[in-house]
Amino acid sequence: MKIDSISLLHVKLPYLSPFQTSRWVETDHECLLLRVRAGGLTAWGECAAGAEPSYSYETTKTNWHILEDFLIPAVLGADLDDVPAYRELVEPIMGHNMAKAGLEMALWDLFGQRDGVSLQHMLGGSGDRVRVGVSVGIQPTVDRLLEVVGGYLGQGYQRVKLKIKPGRDVAETMAVRRAHPELLLQVDGNSVYRLGDARHLAELDDFGLLLIEQPLAHDDIVDHAKLQATLKTPICLDESITSVEHARWALELKACRVINIKPGRVSGLHEGRRIHDLCREQGVPVWMGGMLETGIGRASNLALASLPGFTLPGDISASARYYKEDVVDPPFVLNPDSTVSVPTGPGLGVNVRPEVIDRYKLAEETYQP
Ligand code: SMG
Ligand code: MG
């Protein structure tokens, strides 16, 4: 298929409230959106990287550089008919998974629209809705945390993830568990702990958690294996898993019992599905992570999360959890059973609102063959 143009749109959407993890705080969602035009169709993608290298080394600026200088020229110079051809084309480019995944998302959308098939169908997903939860950032006080969690439960979320860090972990988790004895509850350390914290982290074993997400360093599956051996609670790896090979190594080493899949982190939906397939073969549960995406990335996450191995609720909340207005219409809403519906239209199946993107746009550039 001949591509007519690819545009990069750098946007910055303010969050309704700041999002604080163990190591950084975000007040806005900065990311690159991609618009691909071909054969009279307009397709969209979204890169998961933010303004700062805090979750990953990638940023909006590194995404722009890698897309402008390598990925976009490669795609504009080729005649691609499917995603595997794109994967082969970008394989020699090392790293920069979020940049690769953003363009791959737009190509899935394009090929889906061309063939009149939904992304869910292309990926092999099924069902009209996906079980979801909400990720709650670190709050100023325990009372405020209980209030925020209570607010989300009132909205219908049935699974809560708490961000934790040293000094803000055991007491906070205990307070939420005491207030909500039956709640599906999990915590996320975002790489802030070290193996020396093993005894302390074992105190979390008392709270019936679904999992402890990425307690140790992003590149360390060796100490995660040592830690998992001392904990009752399953460890779930997030930052450490950037490919299906990493997933295989982590499972072989018994570094985790659950894996969180984020298409951006693993270079795209294609690789995300391979990790799903590997975990399913081995009976390891997976769930869909979140990067506080706009409705474009959210539609993509929902399609992949409808595959059968995604047996735990995803970090895929309603648009109103994050933004005053979303870039898609209609926005994503929470169903009363703590699910979000999977789009059914061709490709991503969302209506993108260019006027909203324009309101939050910092820069735009279009590239042609
Ligand atoms: O709802 O998309 C969401 C947020 C989910 O907590 C969430 N993501 O480490 O899992 C994680 C964090 C990374 C956020 S980085 C901006
Ligand atoms: Mg995480």
Side-chain angles (χ1 to χ4, degrees), residues 55 161 163 187-190 213-214 236-239 260 262 265 287 289-290 315:
Y55 172 84
K161 163 166 133 182
K163 292 290 187 184
V187 296
D188 187 354
N190 283 110
E213 188 177 336
Q214 195 71 39
C236 167
L237 290 178
D238 173 356
E239 284 91 327
N260 153 323
K262 291 178 181 168
R265 194 191 66 224
W287 56 284
D315 278 346

PDB file of all heavy atoms in Angstrom, residues 55 161 163 187-190 213-214 236-239 260 262 265 287 289-290 315, ligand 2:
ATOM      1  N   TYR A  55       9.749   6.809  33.323  1.00  0.00           N
ATOM      2  CA  TYR A  55       9.285   5.409  33.231  1.00  0.00           C
ATOM      3  C   TYR A  55      10.242   4.627  32.318  1.00  0.00           C
ATOM      4  O   TYR A  55      10.531   3.459  32.561  1.00  0.00           O
ATOM      5  CB  TYR A  55       7.860   5.369  32.674  1.00  0.00           C
ATOM      6  CG  TYR A  55       7.385   3.971  32.357  1.00  0.00           C
ATOM      7  CD1 TYR A  55       6.834   3.165  33.350  1.00  0.00           C
ATOM      8  CD2 TYR A  55       7.530   3.448  31.078  1.00  0.00           C
ATOM      9  CE1 TYR A  55       6.434   1.869  33.064  1.00  0.00           C
ATOM     10  CE2 TYR A  55       7.127   2.158  30.788  1.00  0.00           C
ATOM     11  CZ  TYR A  55       6.584   1.375  31.780  1.00  0.00           C
ATOM     12  OH  TYR A  55       6.194   0.093  31.496  1.00  0.00           O
ATOM     13  N   LYS A 161      -5.272  -0.334  41.927  1.00  0.00           N
ATOM     14  CA  LYS A 161      -3.813  -0.471  42.045  1.00  0.00           C
ATOM     15  C   LYS A 161      -3.289   0.750  42.773  1.00  0.00           C
ATOM     16  O   LYS A 161      -3.633   1.881  42.408  1.00  0.00           O
ATOM     17  CB  LYS A 161      -3.216  -0.572  40.641  1.00  0.00           C
ATOM     18  CG  LYS A 161      -1.731  -0.327  40.534  1.00  0.00           C
ATOM     19  CD  LYS A 161      -1.235  -0.803  39.181  1.00  0.00           C
ATOM     20  CE  LYS A 161      -0.332   0.215  38.511  1.00  0.00           C
ATOM     21  NZ  LYS A 161       0.092  -0.240  37.179  1.00  0.00           N
ATOM     22  N   LYS A 163      -0.024   3.005  43.919  1.00  0.00           N
ATOM     23  CA  LYS A 163       1.400   3.273  43.743  1.00  0.00           C
ATOM     24  C   LYS A 163       2.018   3.307  45.133  1.00  0.00           C
ATOM     25  O   LYS A 163       1.431   3.911  46.054  1.00  0.00           O
ATOM     26  CB  LYS A 163       1.592   4.622  43.040  1.00  0.00           C
ATOM     27  CG  LYS A 163       1.123   4.622  41.592  1.00  0.00           C
ATOM     28  CD  LYS A 163       2.024   3.777  40.729  1.00  0.00           C
ATOM     29  CE  LYS A 163       1.684   3.899  39.255  1.00  0.00           C
ATOM     30  NZ  LYS A 163       2.503   3.007  38.430  1.00  0.00           N
ATOM     31  N   VAL A 187      -0.376  -3.526  44.063  1.00  0.00           N
ATOM     32  CA  VAL A 187       0.492  -2.359  44.276  1.00  0.00           C
ATOM     33  C   VAL A 187       1.585  -2.333  43.204  1.00  0.00           C
ATOM     34  O   VAL A 187       1.907  -3.347  42.602  1.00  0.00           O
ATOM     35  CB  VAL A 187       1.132  -2.377  45.682  1.00  0.00           C
ATOM     36  CG1 VAL A 187       0.069  -2.263  46.766  1.00  0.00           C
ATOM     37  CG2 VAL A 187       1.996  -3.625  45.900  1.00  0.00           C
ATOM     38  N   ASP A 188       2.157  -1.127  42.996  1.00  0.00           N
ATOM     39  CA  ASP A 188       3.180  -0.945  41.960  1.00  0.00           C
ATOM     40  C   ASP A 188       4.313  -0.087  42.520  1.00  0.00           C
ATOM     41  O   ASP A 188       4.097   1.067  42.897  1.00  0.00           O
ATOM     42  CB  ASP A 188       2.543  -0.261  40.738  1.00  0.00           C
ATOM     43  CG  ASP A 188       3.485  -0.179  39.542  1.00  0.00           C
ATOM     44  OD1 ASP A 188       4.665  -0.540  39.673  1.00  0.00           O
ATOM     45  OD2 ASP A 188       3.016   0.245  38.467  1.00  0.00           O
ATOM     46  N   GLY A 189       5.533  -0.646  42.570  1.00  0.00           N
ATOM     47  CA  GLY A 189       6.688   0.066  43.112  1.00  0.00           C
ATOM     48  C   GLY A 189       7.477   0.849  42.071  1.00  0.00           C
ATOM     49  O   GLY A 189       8.359   1.632  42.430  1.00  0.00           O
ATOM     50  N   ASN A 190       7.214   0.646  40.796  1.00  0.00           N
ATOM     51  CA  ASN A 190       7.950   1.343  39.725  1.00  0.00           C
ATOM     52  C   ASN A 190       9.464   1.377  39.973  1.00  0.00           C
ATOM     53  O   ASN A 190      10.095   2.443  39.914  1.00  0.00           O
ATOM     54  CB  ASN A 190       7.405   2.763  39.493  1.00  0.00           C
ATOM     55  CG  ASN A 190       6.108   2.756  38.717  1.00  0.00           C
ATOM     56  OD1 ASN A 190       5.049   3.062  39.254  1.00  0.00           O
ATOM     57  ND2 ASN A 190       6.153   2.409  37.447  1.00  0.00           N
ATOM     58  N   GLU A 213       3.732  -5.186  41.614  1.00  0.00           N
ATOM     59  CA  GLU A 213       4.265  -4.882  40.287  1.00  0.00           C
ATOM     60  C   GLU A 213       5.637  -4.218  40.379  1.00  0.00           C
ATOM     61  O   GLU A 213       5.812  -3.259  41.151  1.00  0.00           O
ATOM     62  CB  GLU A 213       3.254  -3.955  39.586  1.00  0.00           C
ATOM     63  CG  GLU A 213       3.532  -3.666  38.129  1.00  0.00           C
ATOM     64  CD  GLU A 213       2.415  -2.786  37.543  1.00  0.00           C
ATOM     65  OE1 GLU A 213       1.270  -2.797  38.080  1.00  0.00           O
ATOM     66  OE2 GLU A 213       2.679  -2.073  36.569  1.00  0.00           O
ATOM     67  N   GLN A 214       6.569  -4.732  39.603  1.00  0.00           N
ATOM     68  CA  GLN A 214       7.909  -4.152  39.395  1.00  0.00           C
ATOM     69  C   GLN A 214       8.488  -3.473  40.636  1.00  0.00           C
ATOM     70  O   GLN A 214       8.769  -2.274  40.629  1.00  0.00           O
ATOM     71  CB  GLN A 214       7.843  -3.118  38.260  1.00  0.00           C
ATOM     72  CG  GLN A 214       9.213  -2.707  37.706  1.00  0.00           C
ATOM     73  CD  GLN A 214       9.900  -3.794  36.897  1.00  0.00           C
ATOM     74  OE1 GLN A 214       9.257  -4.512  36.137  1.00  0.00           O
ATOM     75  NE2 GLN A 214      11.195  -3.932  37.049  1.00  0.00           N
ATOM     76  N   CYS A 236       4.647  -9.194  39.558  1.00  0.00           N
ATOM     77  CA  CYS A 236       4.296  -8.943  38.158  1.00  0.00           C
ATOM     78  C   CYS A 236       5.363  -8.024  37.593  1.00  0.00           C
ATOM     79  O   CYS A 236       5.621  -6.965  38.166  1.00  0.00           O
ATOM     80  CB  CYS A 236       2.932  -8.259  38.073  1.00  0.00           C
ATOM     81  SG  CYS A 236       2.601  -7.592  36.434  1.00  0.00           S
ATOM     82  N   LEU A 237       5.992  -8.399  36.495  1.00  0.00           N
ATOM     83  CA  LEU A 237       6.974  -7.502  35.875  1.00  0.00           C
ATOM     84  C   LEU A 237       6.301  -6.595  34.851  1.00  0.00           C
ATOM     85  O   LEU A 237       5.443  -7.018  34.079  1.00  0.00           O
ATOM     86  CB  LEU A 237       8.119  -8.302  35.256  1.00  0.00           C
ATOM     87  CG  LEU A 237       9.037  -8.976  36.288  1.00  0.00           C
ATOM     88  CD1 LEU A 237      10.108  -9.796  35.595  1.00  0.00           C
ATOM     89  CD2 LEU A 237       9.661  -7.962  37.247  1.00  0.00           C
ATOM     90  N   ASP A 238       6.730  -5.319  34.881  1.00  0.00           N
ATOM     91  CA  ASP A 238       6.255  -4.307  33.939  1.00  0.00           C
ATOM     92  C   ASP A 238       7.487  -3.811  33.167  1.00  0.00           C
ATOM     93  O   ASP A 238       7.816  -4.361  32.101  1.00  0.00           O
ATOM     94  CB  ASP A 238       5.552  -3.189  34.732  1.00  0.00           C
ATOM     95  CG  ASP A 238       5.159  -1.976  33.905  1.00  0.00           C
ATOM     96  OD1 ASP A 238       5.480  -1.927  32.709  1.00  0.00           O
ATOM     97  OD2 ASP A 238       4.536  -1.034  34.455  1.00  0.00           O
ATOM     98  N   GLU A 239       8.209  -2.840  33.753  1.00  0.00           N
ATOM     99  CA  GLU A 239       9.353  -2.219  33.070  1.00  0.00           C
ATOM    100  C   GLU A 239      10.366  -3.248  32.534  1.00  0.00           C
ATOM    101  O   GLU A 239      11.001  -3.014  31.498  1.00  0.00           O
ATOM    102  CB  GLU A 239      10.082  -1.261  34.028  1.00  0.00           C
ATOM    103  CG  GLU A 239       9.386   0.074  34.279  1.00  0.00           C
ATOM    104  CD  GLU A 239       8.437   0.054  35.476  1.00  0.00           C
ATOM    105  OE1 GLU A 239       7.819  -1.008  35.757  1.00  0.00           O
ATOM    106  OE2 GLU A 239       8.302   1.109  36.126  1.00  0.00           O
ATOM    107  N   ASN A 260       2.656  -7.885  32.998  1.00  0.00           N
ATOM    108  CA  ASN A 260       1.849  -6.757  32.543  1.00  0.00           C
ATOM    109  C   ASN A 260       2.311  -6.444  31.113  1.00  0.00           C
ATOM    110  O   ASN A 260       3.508  -6.283  30.872  1.00  0.00           O
ATOM    111  CB  ASN A 260       2.099  -5.619  33.541  1.00  0.00           C
ATOM    112  CG  ASN A 260       1.920  -4.221  32.992  1.00  0.00           C
ATOM    113  OD1 ASN A 260       2.248  -3.926  31.849  1.00  0.00           O
ATOM    114  ND2 ASN A 260       1.451  -3.332  33.825  1.00  0.00           N
ATOM    115  N   LYS A 262       2.293  -3.894  28.001  1.00  0.00           N
ATOM    116  CA  LYS A 262       2.006  -2.562  27.456  1.00  0.00           C
ATOM    117  C   LYS A 262       2.569  -2.570  26.044  1.00  0.00           C
ATOM    118  O   LYS A 262       3.783  -2.696  25.867  1.00  0.00           O
ATOM    119  CB  LYS A 262       2.718  -1.468  28.269  1.00  0.00           C
ATOM    120  CG  LYS A 262       2.173  -1.267  29.672  1.00  0.00           C
ATOM    121  CD  LYS A 262       2.965  -0.212  30.418  1.00  0.00           C
ATOM    122  CE  LYS A 262       2.426  -0.033  31.828  1.00  0.00           C
ATOM    123  NZ  LYS A 262       3.336   0.776  32.662  1.00  0.00           N
ATOM    124  N   ARG A 265       5.705  -0.408  25.426  1.00  0.00           N
ATOM    125  CA  ARG A 265       6.954  -0.853  26.063  1.00  0.00           C
ATOM    126  C   ARG A 265       7.621  -1.988  25.287  1.00  0.00           C
ATOM    127  O   ARG A 265       8.835  -2.141  25.322  1.00  0.00           O
ATOM    128  CB  ARG A 265       6.603  -1.314  27.493  1.00  0.00           C
ATOM    129  CG  ARG A 265       7.777  -1.503  28.415  1.00  0.00           C
ATOM    130  CD  ARG A 265       7.318  -2.226  29.688  1.00  0.00           C
ATOM    131  NE  ARG A 265       6.902  -3.573  29.390  1.00  0.00           N
ATOM    132  CZ  ARG A 265       5.802  -4.179  29.878  1.00  0.00           C
ATOM    133  NH1 ARG A 265       5.000  -3.546  30.709  1.00  0.00           N
ATOM    134  NH2 ARG A 265       5.511  -5.417  29.535  1.00  0.00           N
ATOM    135  N   TRP A 287      -2.067  -9.090  31.974  1.00  0.00           N
ATOM    136  CA  TRP A 287      -3.088  -8.028  32.012  1.00  0.00           C
ATOM    137  C   TRP A 287      -2.530  -6.817  31.284  1.00  0.00           C
ATOM    138  O   TRP A 287      -1.328  -6.679  31.100  1.00  0.00           O
ATOM    139  CB  TRP A 287      -3.510  -7.702  33.441  1.00  0.00           C
ATOM    140  CG  TRP A 287      -2.402  -7.301  34.371  1.00  0.00           C
ATOM    141  CD1 TRP A 287      -1.477  -8.130  34.948  1.00  0.00           C
ATOM    142  CD2 TRP A 287      -2.080  -5.985  34.819  1.00  0.00           C
ATOM    143  NE1 TRP A 287      -0.612  -7.415  35.725  1.00  0.00           N
ATOM    144  CE2 TRP A 287      -0.965  -6.100  35.673  1.00  0.00           C
ATOM    145  CE3 TRP A 287      -2.637  -4.729  34.603  1.00  0.00           C
ATOM    146  CZ2 TRP A 287      -0.388  -4.993  36.305  1.00  0.00           C
ATOM    147  CZ3 TRP A 287      -2.072  -3.629  35.231  1.00  0.00           C
ATOM    148  CH2 TRP A 287      -0.959  -3.771  36.074  1.00  0.00           C
ATOM    149  N   GLY A 289      -1.426  -3.160  30.815  1.00  0.00           N
ATOM    150  CA  GLY A 289      -0.984  -1.980  31.551  1.00  0.00           C
ATOM    151  C   GLY A 289      -1.519  -0.718  30.909  1.00  0.00           C
ATOM    152  O   GLY A 289      -2.191  -0.768  29.873  1.00  0.00           O
ATOM    153  N   GLY A 290      -1.195   0.415  31.507  1.00  0.00           N
ATOM    154  CA  GLY A 290      -1.656   1.687  30.945  1.00  0.00           C
ATOM    155  C   GLY A 290      -0.559   2.727  31.001  1.00  0.00           C
ATOM    156  O   GLY A 290       0.306   2.690  31.879  1.00  0.00           O
ATOM    157  N   ASP A 315      -5.249  -1.775  33.453  1.00  0.00           N
ATOM    158  CA  ASP A 315      -5.196  -0.342  33.795  1.00  0.00           C
ATOM    159  C   ASP A 315      -5.758   0.438  32.611  1.00  0.00           C
ATOM    160  O   ASP A 315      -5.031   1.170  31.914  1.00  0.00           O
ATOM    161  CB  ASP A 315      -3.744   0.093  34.034  1.00  0.00           C
ATOM    162  CG  ASP A 315      -3.245  -0.228  35.433  1.00  0.00           C
ATOM    163  OD1 ASP A 315      -4.069  -0.547  36.306  1.00  0.00           O
ATOM    164  OD2 ASP A 315      -2.024  -0.141  35.654  1.00  0.00           O
TER     165      ASP A 315
HETATM  166 MG    MG B   2       3.794  -0.391  36.410  1.00  0.00          MG
END
